[in-house]
């Protein structure tokens, strides 16, 4: 990706919170490879394997400092943000999602944004949300275009126990409301299902939480996935490009054929068992209409941004 209209990496310090999430870890790696100084904020009870890797990296990376944070403790967030120009807010729950986790994620998002409002140095919040914040409601199968203007319906998500969607939608909405109230510069990235190296080991429960209702997503043309390395690049691009604004749907591939569905199942092995009838042959017969649109992302990635 190009670096026009960009922030200089030598002068910028970035906070990744939570750097022990799968997405946060890849953003951290990409930032370091581009020469940024990074504060890796790690939540208690995060993914222990990724946390271990990040702590080991701190011993050899002079531009990396690790901070322990509790997203319900406002003061610990403030400490990790000190001298940073941007925060990449990635609040995935390593344990997956239930009703209690929804409330924790919303409170965490509010605290992160509020802390940003109290700092002198933060210029932008890049908020990592999800497509699930936008794709769940009664009439999704009748809607031609599902894009950044769409939001999931709260009652629908509660009734169907779609806790991942509810957590992402409520936390993103709360972050937007507070960012606007505090006049903070925020951009949100709404990725599809995240795939990539060791995703089954390092992101198992959030992946399964995302996939609740996968058959309905598939049939309604709103099941999509994104490679974590591309997703990390998009987060950084959203920070570097001063014209980036609003929400961005982020996916590489819409899954709307049996062939694509099989490829996705294989990439998530062994999390999801292969359907028995596909073990010997692929049928590839049914094709569902695509409804997701990410034209806005294409503009951001290719050149400049359009809101």
């Amino acid at each position: 990706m190009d670096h026009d209209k960009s922030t200089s990496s030598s002068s910028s310090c970035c906070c990744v919170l939570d750097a022990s999430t799968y997405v946060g870890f890849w953003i951290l790696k990409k930032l370091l490879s581009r020469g940024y100084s990074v504060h890796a904020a790690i939540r208690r009870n995060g993914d222990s394997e990724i946390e271990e890797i990040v702590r080991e990296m701190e011993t050899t990376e002079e531009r990396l400092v690790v901070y322990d944070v509790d997203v319900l403790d406002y003061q610990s967030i403030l400490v990790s943000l000190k001298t940073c120009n941007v925060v990449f807010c990635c609040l995935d729950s390593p344990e997956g999602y239930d009703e209690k986790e929804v409330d924790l994620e919303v409170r965490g998002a509010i605290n992160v944004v509020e802390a940003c409002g109290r700092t002198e140095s933060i210029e932008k919040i890049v908020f990592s949300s999800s497509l699930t914040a936008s794709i769940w409601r009664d009439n999704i199968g009748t809607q031609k275009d599902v894009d950044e203007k769409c939001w999931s319906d709260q009652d629908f998500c509660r009734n169907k126990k779609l806790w991942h969607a509810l957590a992402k939608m409520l936390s993103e909405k709360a972050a937007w409301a507070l960012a606007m109230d505090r006049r903070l510069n925020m951009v949100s990235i709404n990725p599809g299902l995240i795939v990539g190296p060791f995703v089954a080991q390092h992101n198992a429960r959030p992946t399964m939480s995302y996939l609740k209702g996968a058959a309905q997503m598939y049939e309604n043309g709103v099941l999509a996935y994104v490679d974590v390395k591309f997703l990390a690049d998009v987060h950084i691009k959203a920070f570097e490009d001063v014209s980036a604004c609003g929400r961005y749907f982020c996916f590489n591939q819409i899954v709307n054929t049996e062939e694509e569905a099989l490829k996705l199942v294989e990439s998530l092995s062994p999390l999801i068992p292969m359907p028995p009838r596909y073990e010997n042959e692929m049928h590839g017969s049914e094709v569902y209409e695509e409804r997701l649109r990410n034209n806005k992302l294409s503009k951001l990635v290719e050149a400049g941004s359009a809101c």
Side-chain angles (χ1 to χ4, degrees):
M1 293 190 184
D2 57 26
H3 286 240
D4 59 324
K5 293 184 288 184
S6 69
T7 312
S8 157
S9 58
S10 58
S11 62
S12 291
C13 182
C14 310
C15 179
V16 181
L17 193 171
D18 172 0
S20 72
T21 61
Y22 188 63
V23 176
F25 175 67
W26 280 96
I27 293 171
L28 165 74
K29 278 177 66 116
K30 293 268 186 180
L31 287 167
L32 289 171
S33 73
R34 293 179 186 207
Y36 285 105
S37 295
V38 182
H39 288 186
I42 291 179
R43 290 167 74 183
R44 288 163 210 157
N45 308 318
D47 181 303
S48 54
E49 278 185 68
I50 294 181
E51 179 180 339
E52 225 170 89
I53 296 165
V54 174
R55 291 191 189 280
E56 277 171 23
M57 285 167 71
E58 186 187 22
T59 61
T60 55
E61 276 283 358
E62 56 184 47
R63 284 175 288 106
L64 176 63
V65 184
V66 175
Y67 291 82
D68 291 301
V69 296
D70 175 355
V71 291
L72 301 182
D73 173 12
Y74 176 78
Q75 201 58 42
S76 73
I77 299 170
L78 270 177
V79 172
S80 71
L81 295 178
K82 200 172 181 190
T83 74
C84 290
N85 309 94
V86 61
V87 61
F88 294 91
C89 183
C90 319
L91 295 181
D92 265 341
S93 164
E95 295 305 312
Y97 285 85
D98 56 20
E99 200 166 5
K100 184 176 167 228
E101 194 55 47
V102 172
D103 180 53
L104 285 174
E105 193 146 314
V106 173
R107 287 162 65 197
I110 289 168
N111 282 343
V112 171
V113 176
E114 184 63 57
C116 289
R118 302 282 175 95
T119 64
E120 295 295 315
S121 59
I122 292 286
E123 293 159 16
K124 190 180 269 188
I125 302 164
V126 181
F127 191 89
S128 199
S129 181
S130 175
L131 275 185
T132 60
S134 299
I135 60 174
W136 284 114
R137 57 186 172 281
D138 272 324
N139 63 346
I140 202 81
T142 61
Q143 194 168 334
K144 188 170 179 292
D145 292 345
V146 179
D147 62 15
E148 288 85 358
K149 295 186 285 294
C150 300
W151 289 94
S152 290
D153 179 78
Q154 182 171 336
D155 293 334
F156 184 89
C157 292
R158 279 194 193 281
N159 293 339
K160 303 282 186 187
K161 295 184 166 45
L162 297 164
W163 304 126
H164 183 275
L166 191 64
K168 296 304 176 185
M169 186 268 290
L170 291 177
S171 62
E172 189 192 342
K173 277 195 164 181
W176 274 118
L178 191 56
M180 285 170 177
D181 185 63
R182 300 288 189 269
R183 298 189 176 176
L184 297 168
N185 183 7
M186 181 170 126
V187 175
S188 77
I189 310 298
N190 294 66
L193 181 72
I194 298 155
V195 299
F198 304 107
V199 70
Q201 291 93 315
H202 291 315
N203 209 40
R205 287 179 177 167
T207 298
M208 298 311 288
S209 294
Y210 185 108
L211 284 170
K212 175 119 195 257
Q216 292 96 310
M217 283 189 237
Y218 173 57
E219 286 161 19
N220 287 316
V222 292
L223 178 59
Y225 62 84
V226 62
D227 180 80
V228 71
K229 296 178 187 179
F230 174 73
L231 177 59
D233 279 336
V234 167
H235 278 78
I236 296 167
K237 178 74 173 170
F239 158 52
E240 291 177 340
D241 191 326
V242 295
S243 64
C245 57
R247 309 173 81 207
Y248 290 90
F249 276 14
C250 184
F251 53 87
N252 299 121
Q253 178 67 49
I254 295 174
V255 180
N256 69 330
T257 66
E258 289 190 354
E259 196 176 346
E260 277 301 333
L262 268 177
K263 270 167 64 179
L264 179 59
V265 168
E266 283 166 5
S267 73
L268 294 173
S269 176
L271 282 184
I272 308 168
M274 184 68 81
R277 69 190 177 109
Y278 293 128
E279 278 172 2
N280 300 321
E281 55 177 311
M282 292 204 310
H283 291 261
S285 55
E286 195 135 30
V287 179
Y288 294 103
E289 185 187 350
E290 294 181 8
R291 297 185 197 283
L292 292 169
R293 304 286 175 259
N294 67 343
N295 307 348
K296 200 177 158 198
L297 180 80
S298 304
K299 288 174 186 156
L300 174 72
V301 170
E302 282 157 22
S305 177
C307 285

